[in-house]
Amino acid sequence: MGRETDHGGIQSEHITYTPAPRIETLDGAYGVVQRMRGRLARAVRGRDDVIDTIIIAMLADGHVLLEDFPGSGKTTLAKALGDCIIDDRPDDDIVAIRRIQFTPDLLPSDVTGTTIFDPNTNKFFFRPGPVFAHVVLADEINRTSPKVQSALLEAMGEKQVTVDNRTRKLDPLFFVIATQNPLDFSGTFPLPSAQLDRFLFKIKMKHIPRDAELEVLASIRARRHAGGAEDDIPRITRTEILDAREVVESQIHMAPEIRECLVDIAETTRRDPRVLQGLSTRALVLMIPALQARALTRRRNYVTDEDVRALAHFIFCHRLELAPGAGEVYALTDELVAGPLEKLVRRVAR
């Protein structure tokens, strides 16, 4: 059984006081990817592409915005991700996963935490909010007010929260999966550009294939009573994920031509009359670890044009503000990146 923490969460029952061996090689980091893939694929069927993208975001130290429909498996995916992690610092009161259901009456303190007076000791103490977790599921983030949405800005951007003029650090692993429903916009507050920019990826989920959906229906009882069919796949400690991030940063080669290609793409978006707001420098900075992480998931120690092409939609589309009549953002993004990518291929081929 898990133990209750001071702020009412349940500490994951999968804890360890024994540190795992340091991960210092690409093979070791790729092993982390494989274990996460295996456990998530067992828990969520038909979402292999989304699983890969979320693993890339976690290794790149980014956050993910899922634009989906109700019942698409987002909560199951987030819970499975939290269940992947073994807490090797169980005494820090950081739980594996917390879910925040965003509603119009939510307050910023419901997210970050609040200071409470204890009459027994005549002292104030801080009660941490749900952001003090390894994985945070921010459900229907566009259904709450901008004031509450902004409470996540500091947490996502700097991994800290400030309450009553005191700054408190979040765990280095802090990872947000936020969702919004694209079909029902009544009573919603669209995310401003500054908030969208905090998300490394925006992923549009689609219905799973027919075969995968049939498999889900056929295995409902088995999955409900199996107690975790993926238990034969070892979990990953918090430290192993942080080690894998260091390997991605230090051992995946990024050629100068790739960086030039990214700058060329940004300049193309800024010059195009159909784009009111082009890519920022921050978008390019965030893309570099994402490209390196994708190379690791393909078991490469170098970044290629294929990585840029594969991640362009997830990183660029929600950061572009288009002029009226500019058309569909995904088609326009493909058009804008085509020239710089072709130039990159020619450079590398020399």
Side-chain angles (χ1 to χ4, degrees), residues 113-161:
T114 187
T115 303
I116 298 176
F117 179 73
D118 184 357
N120 295 322
T121 61
N122 288 327
K123 294 181 180 180
F124 288 92
F125 70 95
F126 177 69
R127 171 159 289 183
V131 293
F132 287 85
H134 297 310
V135 178
V136 175
L137 172 60
D139 216 355
E140 296 187 292
I141 191 173
N142 59 333
R143 290 205 177 277
T144 194
S145 67
K147 188 174 184 179
V148 179
Q149 291 174 3
S150 65
L152 277 176
L153 281 175
E154 182 183 16
M156 294 172 63
E158 302 176 44
K159 296 199 176 183
Q160 64 183 33
V161 294

Side-chain angles (χ1 to χ4, degrees), residues 48-266:
D48 292 350
D49 54 342
V50 176
I51 287 171
D52 257 18
T53 308
I54 287 178
I55 291 173
I56 291 169
M58 175 168 275
L59 292 178
D61 198 10
H63 306 287
V64 174
L65 176 62
L66 297 177
E67 190 170 84
D68 67 344
F69 49 88
S72 61
K74 60 185 182 296
T75 303
T76 303
L77 179 59
K79 285 183 176 179
L81 184 61
D83 191 57
C84 281
I85 302 169
I86 302 177
D87 189 0
D88 53 4
R89 293 178 58 187
D91 295 324
D92 59 4
D93 281 343
I94 301 293
V95 298
I97 179 171
R98 295 296 295 270
R99 179 177 181 267
I100 310 172
Q101 180 62 55
F102 283 91
T103 56
D105 60 346
L106 208 66
L107 298 175
S109 59
D110 295 327
V111 175
T112 61
T114 187
T115 303
I116 298 176
F117 179 73
D118 184 357
N120 295 322
T121 61
N122 288 327
K123 294 181 180 180
F124 288 92
F125 70 95
F126 177 69
R127 171 159 289 183
V131 293
F132 287 85
H134 297 310
V135 178
V136 175
L137 172 60
D139 216 355
E140 296 187 292
I141 191 173
N142 59 333
R143 290 205 177 277
T144 194
S145 67
K147 188 174 184 179
V148 179
Q149 291 174 3
S150 65
L152 277 176
L153 281 175
E154 182 183 16
M156 294 172 63
E158 302 176 44
K159 296 199 176 183
Q160 64 183 33
V161 294
T162 302
V163 179
D164 292 337
N165 291 325
R166 180 176 173 184
T167 298
R168 292 174 171 85
K169 294 290 185 181
L170 300 177
D171 191 79
L173 186 57
F174 177 66
F175 179 71
V176 174
I177 301 179
T179 70
Q180 62 179 12
N181 185 352
L183 303 179
D184 181 11
F185 288 106
S186 59
T188 62
F189 302 86
L191 296 177
S193 298
Q195 182 80 47
L196 285 173
D197 198 43
R198 292 302 195 278
F199 290 100
L200 175 62
F201 294 149
K202 180 181 177 183
I203 305 173
K204 278 200 170 187
M205 296 177 68
K206 301 177 182 178
H207 290 284
I208 61 177
R210 174 183 173 84
D211 292 345
E213 200 159 25
L214 286 171
E215 185 180 355
V216 169
L217 298 181
S219 61
I220 292 176
R221 180 178 175 81
R223 287 184 291 113
R224 187 174 295 166
H225 298 283
E230 66 277 5
D231 281 346
D232 59 319
I233 303 175
R235 288 173 169 82
I236 304 97
T237 68
R238 163 194 170 279
T239 303
E240 283 179 314
I241 297 175
L242 298 180
D243 286 348
R245 285 180 180 176
E246 292 184 12
V247 170
V248 165
E249 181 180 4
S250 62
Q251 299 186 33
I252 304 292
H253 177 63
M254 172 80 69
E257 291 83 1
I258 299 289
R259 289 191 286 269
E260 290 179 25
C261 176
L262 298 182
V263 173
D264 289 343
I265 291 173

